[in-house]
Amino acid sequence: MEEKKRFKVYKIIMLVVLVAFITFLATSIGMYQLFMNGKLANQPILMTQGSNSDIAVALNRYKSIIDKYYLGEINEEKLKEGAIKGYIEGLDDPYTEYISKEEMKDYLEDTMGNFVGIGIYMVKNTELNKVQILAPIKNSPAEKVGILPGDLIIAVDDIQYTGEDMSIVSNKIKGEEGTTVKMEVLRGTETKTFELKRESIKVNPVEGKVLSDKIGYIAFTSFDEGTAEEFKAKYEELQKQGIKSLIIDLRNNGGGIVDEALEIADFVTEKGSILLYEVDKNNKEEIKKSENDPIINVPIVVLTNGNTASSSEILAGALKDLGKAKICGTKTYGKGVIQQVLTLTDGSGLKITAEKYLTPNKTEINKIGIEPDEKVELPESMKNVLVLEEKEDTQLQKAMEMLK
């Protein structure tokens, strides 16, 4: 399957977006077949100029005024970049963004999993217009200092930001290994300040264990390159220990590479099963199907919550629609669109929402989410706890009950 992989952007959520300090899916940011929920276009896109367009005329008018009256020094490159960003922001799409030439290298490295940062996935919370923490990565600086899913980033190094500034926030948090960054977050009504040292981050290992009654448990928080193979290896390890059923924990999983999610679905579903519909702006459908006979034939429950997004929803939706798993927990986030990342000839890039996806039953996900078969809330006192004791995790306990 390796040679068939196209790279798609993922988290978040919301956009689940993955950044150098570990953001996405977008995700949002999402992003991705090589990226968090999107496609990588290998050929540069030629830049064209429509000098007679209304936009060009308007910009030239303002340029004339600036040249005539502006007192300060004029940086033409910054003006051009600002104009492009503003034009794209006018789409009012949280997942579409301009990536400058300087940012593209870091962006590509981020989506490949080469990370130095504080270890968080983040997404744009459009309702509150804030950058929201989707989840910290296990054993990352962010987890160690106590940053939690749902925290809203207010300021970085004493400069305040809104949800519109997610790319800026990402860049501000990046830095050299061993340097520090100050981050202020809002948790409920309480403001908290953290000093974090940037480190090399081990992204999202697939973890597993055997629970009581020979129930296998596998958890991971994003779909990165190689996640499906790690998942398979972990399942085979648990299988040798005699598991009779399986829990796949996708809570706080902001998404990632779409093909990785489809490959995991392939492990479970019958050959030729429809796993996903991708639909473009012209309503042209691309159908993704299972290509192999299943290797997992045990009862499955998938755990979800409000931070389960994008590629996670693709996997959960496929297994649910095809009758291969029950969903337990709370409704998923609802990111049902896919981004392409296009490289322009000047070295800059555009991450653009180009397709939506539908589950095998052609169910819409975007801004809707997937409803669980068994709705189970965590106790109020536990909702902001990143690591739950097994006996306190009501969602896990219900999933185990469903499998007994």
Side-chain angles (χ1 to χ4, degrees), residues 107-123:
Y107 189 85
L108 297 179
E109 287 178 352
D110 291 350
T111 54
M112 287 297 291
N114 303 318
F115 302 111
V116 174
I118 63 171
I120 59 173
Y121 299 98
M122 69 181 188
V123 65

Side-chain angles (χ1 to χ4, degrees), residues 35 41 60 81 122 140 152 175 204 232 275 330 351 360 394:
F35 306 151
N60 280 327
E81 193 169 290
M122 69 181 188
S140 67
L152 300 171
N204 187 42
K232 180 182 177 183
L275 303 177
T330 56
K351 185 181 71 167
T394 52

Side-chain angles (χ1 to χ4, degrees), residues 186-191:
L186 182 66
R187 183 178 300 165
T189 58
E190 185 180 3
T191 300

Side-chain angles (χ1 to χ4, degrees), residues 133-193:
I133 305 296
L134 189 60
I137 289 177
K138 189 174 179 63
N139 298 321
S140 67
E143 186 193 51
K144 291 172 186 175
V145 300
I147 288 175
L148 299 177
D151 285 350
L152 300 171
I153 299 175
I154 299 172
V156 178
D157 286 337
D158 298 318
I159 299 175
Q160 294 195 345
Y161 297 101
T162 68
E164 307 295 335
D165 305 315
M166 194 162 82
S167 293
I168 299 172
V169 170
S170 166
N171 290 330
K172 292 293 182 183
I173 294 176
K174 295 174 186 177
E176 303 250 343
E177 186 171 3
T179 60
T180 59
V181 61
K182 180 181 177 183
M183 194 161 71
E184 189 176 319
V185 304
L186 182 66
R187 183 178 300 165
T189 58
E190 185 180 3
T191 300
K192 291 181 171 287
T193 302

Side-chain angles (χ1 to χ4, degrees), residues 190-326:
E190 185 180 3
T191 300
K192 291 181 171 287
T193 302
F194 299 96
E195 292 274 351
L196 303 105
K197 182 178 286 189
R198 299 178 178 98
E199 298 178 4
S200 281
I201 306 296
K202 168 60 179 173
V203 182
N204 187 42
V206 176
E207 299 184 323
K209 59 184 176 181
V210 179
L211 306 175
S212 60
D213 296 302
K214 295 185 177 180
I215 298 172
Y217 172 88
I218 296 178
F220 50 102
T221 53
S222 74
F223 292 83
D224 304 310
E225 191 171 13
T227 293
E229 283 303 312
E230 285 187 53
F231 179 96
K232 180 182 177 183
K234 186 59 65 177
Y235 173 76
E236 290 172 344
E237 178 185 317
L238 298 178
Q239 191 179 36
K240 290 176 183 176
Q241 298 177 55
I243 63 169
K244 302 297 183 184
S245 57
L246 179 65
I247 294 171
I248 302 174
D249 193 345
L250 297 181
R251 292 176 294 181
N252 299 322
N253 186 317
I257 302 172
V258 173
D259 274 357
E260 297 290 336
L262 294 175
E263 189 171 342
I264 293 174
D266 198 313
F267 297 152
V268 181
T269 55
E270 302 300 326
K271 185 176 182 179
S273 299
I274 293 175
L275 303 177
L276 179 71
Y277 292 92
E278 295 177 356
V279 186
D280 67 15
K281 68 181 297 179
N282 298 313
N283 286 322
K284 181 181 177 182
E285 289 181 351
E286 183 177 352
I287 301 174
K288 301 291 188 177
K289 294 183 179 182
S290 179
E291 299 179 356
N292 302 284
D293 293 322
I295 62 171
I296 299 176
N297 295 293
V298 298
I300 298 172
V301 172
V302 177
L303 289 173
T304 64
N305 65 7
N307 290 330
T308 301
S310 199
S311 293
S312 294
E313 293 171 291
I314 288 175
L315 176 58
L319 298 186
K320 180 181 180 181
D321 281 5
L322 296 171
K324 294 297 184 178
K326 295 290 186 181

